[in-house]
Amino acid sequence: MTEPQTRRPAWRPFVHAGRVLILVAIALIIHLAATLHAPVDDGPSPTVDVAIVQKLFPTAAKIDDSGVLLDEMGQSVGRVVQTSPAGDKAIGFSGPTNVLIGFSPEEKIVGLEILSSRDTREHVREIERHATFLHSLDGLTRDEVLSKTDFDAVSGATLTSLAMIEAIQRRLGGVQKSLKFPDLPELKVVRKLFPDAETLEVDVAYPALLHVKDAAGTSLGKLLRTSPAADNLVGYQGPTDMLVGLDADEKVIGLALSRSYDNEPYVDYVRTDDYFLGLLNGQSIAELSAIDNETLQIEGVSGATMTSQAAATGIYEAVDELVRARQEEEFIEAKVPWIYRLPLPQLRERDYKTIAVVIVGVLLAFSPWRGNPWARIPFQILVFVYLGFANGDFVSQALLVGWAQNGVPWKSAFGLVLLVGAALALPIFTRTNVYCSHLCPHGVVQQWTKRRIKWQWKPSKQLLPWLKAIPSVLLAWVVLVAAARWSFSLVDIEPFDAYVWHIAGWGTIAVAVVGLIASLFTPMAYCRFGCPTGALLDYVRYNGKSEFWTRRDWVAVGLLALGAVALLF
């Protein structure tokens, strides 16, 4: 009589899914920690020190709120804009970079300066050493930068430098700044509409719209400038920049004249005519945009008819441009299927080569040829030379944390994203850790050094658990650094940046050298006892014990709790 088979508990298949969820939860904690400290996309740009500006404009003595630079005599010598926060979605190797862009009075770029970066320290330093890159856009206008596609990246910091270019294009891709009225309105004029106004913040999506705030940072309303929409509307002798005050419901609370190229006393007549300045009060942006400009009849200010009519017409044109911009954005979001709204990745030669290497590596890993030296060794050489020394493409903790914090740069680094995707997804669904066995250049070197010398060292049973715990300790350190937002550079705990030797720091070089020496005496020593990324991939790999809760799962729960505590405190 046969014994009855024990039924497998129904919950066991969900244990492996739980491991993946733990990993996702840790990534969300890291992302939340970064989000709490990052500038919002529609917020103000960080303050720029004039000493940094002087690297591009030596005679600059002052920078005003709109970025215009003045010398000791109060004359304009140019202007600067910075890519943050509008360009923060451009992710390099592991994060965005805030770039200062200098424009001459002729509106041509005179140079770039790195203000701050959340990218890898070594990559940013390499770019700072390349003055040719920081001046590669010199002499170009805004439109020329937006239309340019052939940019030279910095070797060893390719992703970081290309992300800087993308950030610049994102920042310059909005509404062009007025050349006739480049300065923000004076507060004394704004206070005619908002008496408690203390600061003005430029709307990133539509720079002609200003957010008015009091001393406590509370929103008072908005200002719509007629410049640059009405810069070509000439009254008696020149254009006028009018301000349209809007309340929280975007209804007009009044008009104010900011600046004008028209003649006095006509400008002053308009500036002081209370009836004209209150003519549109109570009307909403939507109501104003519905008026046909061709049939518009405007009662001008007595004695300044041409100036006032041009100013009023400019108001309607500015409203029309604002509403049209919003409608275009809403149309894209509402009518175009989401799949077509996704920005297409900008594939470069580097991406095509990386994609090809990943595909070949995956096919080789699942083919009968994976153990054939004639197939395996040439491919290992390709991985070592191309992914390692030519590209520096590794799956590392610095990269994973940077992407968790800032987003995945699939548009600008599609090949690397595919490599990371394959490294994470294949172990979960196929039981095969393809990255560690076939696509990691450092793993390739350790396979070459395995048992190359006669004397080999085997850890004792007492020491082995302590050595195996090292990757978990390093992962705990990674979670703590990321969740607490400490300034420690995570590239120093792994050897991968050593392959890009001209940017590598001594920490990563030391880890690489020690790990390779150890692998001569103990096969795959670094992979087994030192690699936190390998431990992470092995943790989510499906295997015969995946349906059982193990000690490693308690370690993962501990990492999750550690991240949550670091986030709170």
Side-chain angles (χ1 to χ4, degrees):
M1 183 174 180
T2 59
E3 295 182 3
Q5 293 184 349
T6 303
R7 292 186 60 185
R8 185 178 65 171
W11 51 264
R12 279 189 180 173
F14 296 98
V15 173
H16 186 61
R19 294 188 181 97
V20 178
L21 291 177
I22 291 174
L23 182 61
V24 171
I26 293 175
L28 289 175
I29 286 176
I30 293 173
H31 179 74
L32 182 59
T35 303
L36 293 175
H37 296 85
V40 294
D41 287 345
D42 58 351
S45 297
T47 303
V48 180
D49 191 334
V50 71
I52 298 176
V53 171
Q54 288 172 343
K55 295 179 181 179
L56 301 177
F57 298 90
T59 60
K62 180 183 178 182
I63 176 173
D64 68 13
D65 293 336
S66 63
V68 174
L69 307 175
L70 305 175
D71 60 17
E72 294 289 355
M73 304 299 294
Q75 300 296 314
S76 175
V77 296
R79 71 181 180 94
V80 291
V81 297
Q82 51 185 307
T83 59
S84 182
D88 284 352
K89 292 182 179 179
I91 309 301
F93 181 79
S94 61
T97 299
N98 186 20
V99 183
L100 186 74
I101 314 167
F103 284 91
S104 69
E106 294 75 31
E107 285 299 303
K108 293 185 176 181
I109 293 179
V110 299
L112 312 173
E113 282 292 330
I114 296 177
L115 294 177
S116 61
S117 181
R118 301 203 295 274
D119 213 326
T120 307
R121 176 192 60 202
E122 285 78 7
H123 295 161
V124 176
R125 287 179 179 174
E126 184 68 9
I127 292 175
E128 290 175 332
R129 289 197 290 262
H130 281 70
T132 52
F133 175 80
L134 295 176
H135 289 279
S136 60
L137 304 183
D138 286 11
L140 300 181
T141 64
R142 167 187 177 270
D143 292 337
E144 289 171 339
V145 172
L146 292 177
S147 62
K148 185 176 174 63
T149 57
D150 54 331
F151 297 98
D152 293 328
V154 176
S155 177
T158 303
L159 298 180
T160 302
S161 52
L162 290 176
M164 288 174 56
I165 296 296
E166 182 186 347
I168 292 169
Q169 290 184 321
R170 282 177 178 268
R171 176 62 179 85
L172 300 183
V175 179
Q176 189 169 9
K177 187 174 182 178
S178 171
L179 303 183
K180 296 181 179 178
F181 301 99
D183 300 335
L184 289 176
E186 296 179 348
L187 281 177
K188 65 179 182 181
V189 177
V190 176
R191 286 171 181 152
K192 294 179 180 180
L193 301 173
F194 299 96
D196 297 327
E198 287 294 335
T199 59
L200 299 176
E201 293 181 3
V202 178
D203 188 275
V204 175
Y206 195 81
L209 193 65
L210 306 177
H211 301 267
V212 186
K213 296 185 177 181
D214 62 15
T218 303
S219 177
L220 300 176
K222 302 175 184 177
L223 283 176
L224 176 63
R225 299 179 62 179
T226 60
S227 176
D231 280 0
N232 294 322
L233 285 177
V234 178
Y236 181 75
Q237 198 171 354
T240 298
D241 183 20
M242 294 292 294
L243 305 178
V244 184
L246 303 171
D247 62 15
D249 299 321
E250 292 201 335
K251 290 186 176 182
V252 179
I253 61 171
L255 309 175
L257 191 149
S258 178
R259 295 182 178 90
S260 180
Y261 284 93
D262 225 327
N263 289 6
E264 296 288 0
Y266 311 131
V267 173
D268 194 55
Y269 291 163
V270 176
R271 183 184 293 118
T272 57
D273 192 301
D274 291 337
Y275 173 77
F276 176 80
L277 298 177
L279 196 61
L280 303 178
N281 284 8
Q283 298 190 57
S284 67
I285 290 291
E287 291 170 340
L288 292 175
S289 67
I291 298 176
D292 186 355
N293 287 2
E294 294 183 0
T295 60
L296 184 64
Q297 297 294 324
I298 300 175
E299 182 179 350
V301 175
S302 178
T305 303
M306 297 178 65
T307 301
S308 57
Q309 287 185 341
T313 303
I315 293 169
Y316 287 98
E317 292 203 2
V319 168
D320 282 346
E321 187 170 293
L322 172 62
V323 171
R324 185 167 57 252
R326 288 177 171 177
Q327 287 175 342
E328 288 175 355
E329 183 177 353
E330 291 174 358
F331 176 81
I332 291 174
E333 292 182 352
K335 300 298 181 182
V336 180
W338 67 270
I339 190 66
Y340 296 111
R341 286 189 270 121
L342 292 175
L344 296 176
Q346 299 175 354
L347 296 180
R348 300 176 174 85
E349 182 181 354
R350 168 197 177 107
D351 296 298
Y352 289 115
K353 292 178 179 178
T354 301
I355 292 170
V357 172
V358 172
I359 292 174
V360 173
V362 172
L363 293 177
L364 183 61
F366 292 97
S367 75
W369 292 356
R370 60 182 179 272
N372 188 323
W374 295 103
R376 178 171 51 85
I377 294 177
F379 182 72
Q380 287 179 335
I381 294 174
L382 176 63
V383 169
F384 176 70
V385 173
Y386 181 71
L387 291 185
F389 283 98
N391 273 12
D393 283 345
F394 290 86
V395 181
S396 67
Q397 293 303 302
L399 180 143
L400 294 176
V401 167
W403 289 8
Q405 290 173 332
N406 305 297
V408 178
W410 66 272
K411 181 180 177 182
S412 59
F414 187 78
L416 182 58
V417 171
L418 181 65
L419 175 66
V420 175
L424 291 172
L426 290 175
I428 296 174
F429 299 106
T430 69
R431 302 190 177 199
T432 302
N433 188 344
V434 174
Y435 177 76
C436 290
S437 61
H438 287 78
L439 294 172
C440 176
H442 199 62
V444 165
V445 180
Q446 290 181 86
Q447 292 180 44
W448 290 345
T449 59
K450 187 166 56 176
R451 295 188 176 91
R452 291 298 174 184
I453 62 175
K454 185 176 181 180
W455 187 84
Q456 295 288 294
W457 178 73
K458 184 178 181 180
S460 66
K461 291 183 178 180
Q462 293 75 22
L463 181 60
L464 189 61
W466 293 97
L467 292 177
K468 288 184 175 181
I470 293 176
S472 298
V473 173
L474 291 176
L475 284 174
W477 177 249
V478 169
V479 172
L480 188 60
V481 168
R485 297 289 293 169
W486 290 349
S487 60
F488 181 83
S489 179
L490 293 176
V491 299
D492 291 335
I493 68 172
E494 293 182 295
F496 308 132
D497 260 25
Y499 287 78
V500 192
W501 56 270
H502 55 284
I503 72 168
W506 289 110
T508 188
I509 291 175
V511 173
V513 172
V514 172
L516 291 178
I517 292 175
S519 68
L520 287 170
F521 302 97
T522 300
M524 310 299 292
Y526 176 76
C527 291
R528 294 167 60 197
F529 306 130
C531 184
T533 299
L536 175 66
L537 298 179
D538 193 52
Y539 173 67
V540 297
R541 184 174 69 88
Y542 192 84
N543 55 58
K545 296 182 180 180
S546 291
E547 295 182 359
F548 298 91
W549 189 266
T550 66
R551 184 170 53 187
R552 291 195 306 174
D553 297 303
W554 288 116
V555 172
V557 171
L559 294 180
L560 178 61
L562 179 65
V565 171
L567 175 65
L568 294 175
F569 295 97

